[in-house]
Amino acid sequence: MSRRAGDGVHDGRGRLLRVVELAEGVAGQVCGRLFAGLGHSVTKCEPPGGDPLRTQEPVGAGGLGYRFAVLNADKKSVRIDLGSPDDRDRLSDLLAAADIVITDSGPGRAAETGLSPALLRAAHPRLVVVAITPYGAADARSDAYGDSLLAECYGGLAAMVGEPERAPLTLGGEQAAHAAAFAAFYGSMLALRRPGGDVVDVALCDVAAYIDWKSDVVYAETGQIPVRTGASSGRWRIVRAADGWAGFVFLPEQWDSVVTLVGDPALEDPRLRSDQARFELMDTWWPAVERWAARRTKREIYIGGQRLGLPFGYSADLADLAADIQYRARAFITAPGRDARGPDDGARLAPVVGLPWRYGPPPGLTGDEAARGGADGGGAAVPHPSPSLRPVDGAASGDQGPLAGVVVLDLGTITAGAATGRLLADYGATVIKIESMERPDAFRLWPVPTAGDAEVMEESPLFESNNAGKLGITIDLKTGAGREDMRRLVARSDVLIENFTVGVTRRLGIDHATLSEINPRLIYLSLSSQGQSGPEAGTRSYGSTLDLLSGLASVTGYPGDGPMWSSADINYPDQLVSLFGAGLVAYCAAQDLRGVYLDVSQRELVSWTLADRIAEHLDTGTVPGPTGNRRPGSTPHDVYRCGGEDQWIAIACRTDAQRAALAALVGAGRMAAMPARWWEQNHQEVDAAIGVWTRRRSKGECLRELTHAGIPSAPVQSARERAEDPHFQRRRVFLGGARRQKGYPLRLSGYEPPEPRPAPRIGEHNADILDGHRPDAGAGRAAEPLQVPSQRPGGTT
């Protein structure tokens, strides 16, 4: 895959997969888009009137919605009326020839149409069924509408985004939907490795909760309920620059570099030598930082910080992205008119090495052409079944994990790389975590994110979540003996994961070019900040840095205010990247693609989730800003304060009937007959009427009455409420035991991961693995006591 993504990757090296997409929601369409971008055959089944997203505003000059265009590029389309016997026969023929079907119907609708996972598998026993729903394929609540706002509220993610005294926020765009699509793609690859296939069950709210796993750990460890910290308080902040906003992101040991950069005497106060003192005295020095930043451009601040090794970022809006030198160098966004199609032909994004999405035209839906299956007529004939999918390289039997037999060398640190390894270990891969005694994974001593305690004296509980289920060894790659140990391991492994700052692997002699000579079949995954090439490839970042640089923060926040990030307590980009990274590795394993170099830019990946907004900007010049929780296609679409402290309910109405029911419920009958545009244009009046009603009731009362009235809604849950919710316990989104840790973002109907073994002590399995024995989870000797220097390595998270 070390090629332009538009070349496809299955040609001659992997099986052509045939995918049928029966999904109206964003998550299902993103999942199908991944397969189409990888060059596989995706047939989108639309109702007779077409997918509602086709005409959802904003639209291009031809009347096609930008979101529809980017989510459905490179797919074929057929019109399927599930009430028509002839169309049901056509669908049955499509499914008989398919390898994978993507659905998003709740259990009631699925039973009515005969498209439940059980019925689909009974009719087509080798079919992989991917069900992406709001609450799970068997949960009756999934029959109601669900989107990213409702998922992020019920899953608890929204409770952590925004300013402490203001309303909770959903992340810009449709982030829970994209993350769920990545989880579903990963699950589909696991199912392909299962004998006879399987059902992949992904709930949007589970994925949102999984992303906020740190809050589960903090609550279990401390009893404190984590709360949103916003962007204007705390240790890391977004400050106003002369032409926008910049993010001050730094670790305790980098304070001297901050002092050097700002050059203000207020920061040289001897009392500020400890991180705890800086936190307690922040009002004495942050104003100096703000004055300094206000006199400089946001890129000046970013470049100045990066030169000193500080993982600073600046808030890039979509105009900044379109002109960005790094994106231009990697051809991630092409200039209007340069290799560009019209706005109705898809977003003008040209992903490069490691980002496997090319952009062709979306399918048409006019006349006979669409009925045949696409604008190019390519769907006229029912495709021939693809060859039987076989497990590869000793893949698991029914009782083993789908990735059994796959050996992964995990050099990942902190989150993005390490969490990718954890996901692979969860489903049977043998994952060997490689550290150095001089520089172990910084997460071993990472502070639990509470306001009052920045220093930790023992191994952090956060380390456990990203590293459970792994074996652990230490290698000193600065020595000849260490490099020889590494070469022996590489020779008998299948996968290597790293998320170092660009250049580190080359200096250590473990870059792709070097290791591929030792093992030409190695799958090598690099999860760097901005990719391996380009003028800014060597930057350092954390999730909060990437919130800013990707453009996500520019469209997250309160209307009329500045950008908002997901915060250091979440670091959303890290979580998204790990889901995608695991999916790519599993894809290569399922397709038997070996000798592959996967160069993934974390920044580009997050920007890709905003592809519809980028397409709109390139077509119209519009530069979107934060819109709070409001989104096109739904009104009202926001959170409302309930009775009690920091209690909120989310409401998302898509139809006139839902709005009329809401108007009647809140006692604003005059609004019932008003069209959707009126509700949108008069949202302040609407919000006031709803707010009066919700404030008089508890969150539970609001939810019951809204649900009874058929109005899509969800409570904004805290970590405590999530911990007490049987839904998340039943679906193992978090795990108990000696220490709370994150669980799983998806379910397979035929395989339940066992409880993972504890994260390895440093060097715990040295004797067994470095002596050349086959890795054995039960073997090992007592590890040396952990002595970690205070310096935390820079690099991507």
Side-chain angles (χ1 to χ4, degrees):
M1 210 177 293
S2 54
R3 61 183 71 191
R4 282 196 181 277
D7 295 341
V9 295
H10 65 78
D11 47 345
R13 302 180 63 205
R15 310 172 194 87
L16 172 66
L17 299 175
R18 302 194 183 276
V19 181
V20 175
E21 181 188 297
L22 288 160
E24 289 189 4
V26 170
Q29 296 186 47
V30 173
C31 188
R33 182 69 190 87
L34 301 180
F35 286 101
L38 284 160
H40 298 289
S41 173
V42 179
T43 302
K44 180 179 180 62
C45 298
E46 300 186 60
D51 189 306
L53 284 183
R54 280 187 176 272
T55 55
Q56 184 183 100
E57 295 182 348
V59 299
L64 189 68
Y66 292 106
R67 176 166 289 171
F68 179 88
V70 302
L71 296 186
N72 294 287
D74 295 315
K75 300 177 185 177
K76 293 172 287 187
S77 176
V78 293
R79 286 184 288 197
I80 297 290
D81 180 356
L82 293 176
S84 162
D86 288 344
D87 281 6
R88 291 298 298 268
D89 288 343
R90 292 175 66 213
L91 177 60
S92 181
D93 288 342
L94 284 170
L95 294 174
D99 303 296
I100 298 168
V101 61
I102 302 168
T103 74
D104 61 3
S105 296
R109 171 70 173 161
E112 290 173 6
T113 57
L115 298 176
S116 69
L119 291 173
L120 287 168
R121 289 274 292 165
H124 309 284
R126 294 190 63 82
L127 186 65
V128 169
V129 179
V130 180
I132 312 176
T133 59
Y135 297 93
D139 194 314
R141 295 175 295 177
S142 290
D143 284 318
Y145 171 71
D147 66 0
S148 293
L149 170 67
L150 300 179
E152 289 169 33
C153 288
Y154 185 74
L157 181 61
M160 296 295 292
V161 181
E163 297 292 349
E165 303 303 321
R166 301 183 69 179
L169 288 171
T170 186
L171 294 168
E174 285 280 339
Q175 295 305 318
H178 279 81
F182 291 175
F185 178 76
Y186 176 46
S188 70
M189 294 302 103
L190 298 175
L192 286 180
R193 297 257 311 174
R194 298 262 304 145
D198 208 336
V199 174
V200 183
D201 180 2
V202 176
L204 267 70
C205 66
D206 290 2
V207 175
Y210 178 87
I211 287 169
D212 188 35
W213 63 270
K214 291 181 192 173
S215 293
D216 288 325
V217 173
V218 170
Y219 175 67
E221 290 283 326
T222 69
Q224 298 181 44
I225 301 173
V227 295
R228 52 195 175 278
T229 55
S232 58
S233 62
R235 290 180 172 83
W236 296 357
R237 297 188 185 184
I238 301 176
V239 298
R240 187 181 288 276
D243 62 344
W245 303 85
F248 267 65
V249 179
F250 60 93
L251 297 179
E253 59 270 19
Q254 295 174 316
W255 175 248
D256 287 343
S257 295
V258 174
V259 174
T260 299
L261 179 68
V262 175
D264 191 292
L267 277 64
E268 297 175 3
D269 186 333
R271 295 177 300 168
L272 302 179
R273 297 311 301 169
S274 80
D275 188 62
Q276 186 63 33
R278 290 192 292 272
F279 179 78
E280 294 169 353
L281 298 171
M282 61 178 58
D283 290 342
T284 69
W285 60 272
W286 265 114
V289 172
E290 292 166 348
R291 290 192 299 269
W292 176 86
R295 298 191 297 269
R296 289 160 176 81
T297 68
K298 57 189 181 183
R299 276 194 62 86
E300 275 185 273
I301 297 168
Y302 162 66
I303 293 170
Q306 288 286 341
R307 283 174 177 165
L308 292 173
L310 297 167
F312 280 14
Y314 70 93
S315 180
D317 62 27
L318 300 195
D320 293 324
L321 296 186
D324 187 79
I325 59 173
Q326 177 71 6
Y327 278 9
R328 291 293 186 193
R330 287 174 60 85
F332 180 68
I333 298 179
T334 60
R338 184 183 121 204
D339 190 27
R341 302 172 177 88
D344 292 343
D345 290 330
R348 289 177 290 226
L349 299 184
V352 293
V353 174
L355 282 179
W357 302 301
R358 57 189 173 85
Y359 274 88
L365 192 72
T366 57
D368 294 337
E369 181 179 67
R372 289 197 305 271
D376 60 0
V382 173
H384 297 293
S386 56
S388 276
L389 295 173
R390 59 179 179 81
V392 295
D393 284 355
S397 69
D399 296 331
Q400 293 180 297
L403 295 177
V406 176
V407 177
V408 179
L409 302 182
D410 180 358
L411 286 91
T413 62
I414 309 181
T415 295
T420 300
R422 161 71 198 274
L423 280 163
L424 299 173
D426 287 339
Y427 291 93
T430 299
V431 179
I432 304 170
K433 185 172 183 66
I434 300 176
E435 301 174 85
S436 140
M437 285 301 297
E438 291 183 355
R439 285 188 179 275
D441 187 338
F443 234 31
R444 286 191 181 271
L445 291 184
W446 206 262
V448 171
T450 56
D453 180 15
E455 310 291 344
V456 289
M457 300 306 293
E458 58 184 29
E459 191 164 286
S460 171
L462 300 177
F463 178 83
E464 180 73 25
S465 278
N466 280 342
N467 295 284
K470 302 177 185 179
L471 305 172
I473 64 173
T474 56
I475 294 179
D476 185 354
L477 291 169
K478 296 178 181 178
T479 68
R483 288 191 292 272
E484 182 58 33
D485 283 339
M486 188 69 184
R487 285 192 287 270
R488 283 197 297 267
L489 280 174
V490 167
R492 56 195 177 100
S493 298
D494 302 290
V495 181
L496 182 142
I497 301 168
E498 63 89 10
N499 65 312
F500 294 121
T501 301
V502 170
V504 170
T505 57
R506 186 170 58 254
R507 291 194 298 272
L508 294 176
I510 55 171
D511 55 292
H512 172 257
T514 299
L515 298 188
S516 63
E517 292 182 1
I518 300 168
N519 182 354
R521 289 176 55 79
L522 185 69
I523 299 166
Y524 192 113
L525 174 62
S526 290
L527 299 169
S528 61
S529 175
Q530 300 206 49
Q532 298 293 308
S533 62
E536 296 184 358
T539 57
R540 301 184 177 201
S541 69
Y542 290 99
S544 294
T545 313
L546 294 166
D547 276 329
L548 295 163
L549 293 177
S550 67
L552 178 59
S554 77
V555 294
T556 302
Y558 304 99
D561 282 7
M564 179 63 62
W565 51 21
S566 63
S567 83
D569 295 342
I570 295 174
N571 278 333
Y572 169 74
D574 296 344
Q575 321 309 328
L576 185 75
V577 165
S578 66
L579 291 168
F580 180 67
L584 275 187
V585 170
Y587 174 80
C588 291
Q591 289 286 85
D592 199 19
L593 296 175
R594 302 303 173 122
V596 177
Y597 184 34
L598 301 164
D599 165 23
V600 175
S601 158
Q602 298 184 37
R603 182 190 183 194
E604 289 173 9
L605 183 67
V606 180
S607 292
W608 188 80
T609 69
L610 306 174
D612 58 331
R613 307 310 303 273
I614 296 172
E616 181 187 4
H617 167 72
L618 293 174
D619 188 39
T620 68
T622 301
V623 180
T627 59
N629 294 314
R630 297 199 296 274
R631 296 291 185 274
S634 295
T635 183
H637 191 271
D638 211 337
V639 298
Y640 299 90
R641 190 182 292 274
C642 306
E645 183 179 355
D646 200 28
Q647 299 293 297
W648 303 82
I649 188 84
I651 297 174
C653 293
R654 285 201 308 167
T655 67
D656 289 339
Q658 291 168 354
R659 283 182 282 273
L662 179 60
L665 183 65
V666 303
R670 183 182 72 84
M671 300 190 303
M674 297 297 184
R677 189 168 295 278
W678 181 92
W679 283 70
E680 184 176 343
Q681 293 173 343
N682 296 272
H683 65 85
Q684 291 179 328
E685 179 181 341
V686 170
D687 291 345
I690 298 172
V692 168
W693 183 83
T694 58
R695 284 175 182 268
R696 294 173 178 169
R697 292 161 176 79
S698 69
K699 184 165 62 179
E701 290 171 327
C702 289
L703 181 63
R704 284 192 295 273
E705 295 191 42
L706 289 163
T707 302
H708 182 73
I711 300 162
S713 56
V716 178
Q717 299 213 96
S718 67
R720 178 184 61 79
E721 291 167 322
R722 185 169 60 208
E724 296 170 353
D725 191 328
H727 169 91
F728 297 111
Q729 298 178 33
R730 182 174 61 253
R731 291 179 63 88
R732 303 182 76 200
V733 177
F734 54 79
L735 303 175
R739 263 185 164 172
R740 175 67 53 85
Q741 61 181 265
K742 65 179 174 183
Y744 314 105
L746 61 94
R747 305 295 301 276
L748 294 176
S749 68
Y751 178 76
E752 190 71 35
E755 288 283 320
R757 72 181 73 87
R761 300 184 303 278
I762 191 164
E764 181 175 351
H765 302 99
N766 279 357
D768 306 284
I769 295 174
L770 295 180
D771 288 348
H773 300 301
R774 179 72 180 171
D776 181 353
R781 64 180 179 184
E784 300 176 48
L786 177 62
Q787 295 180 354
V788 185
S790 61
Q791 173 84 15
R792 294 178 181 135
T796 60
T797 56

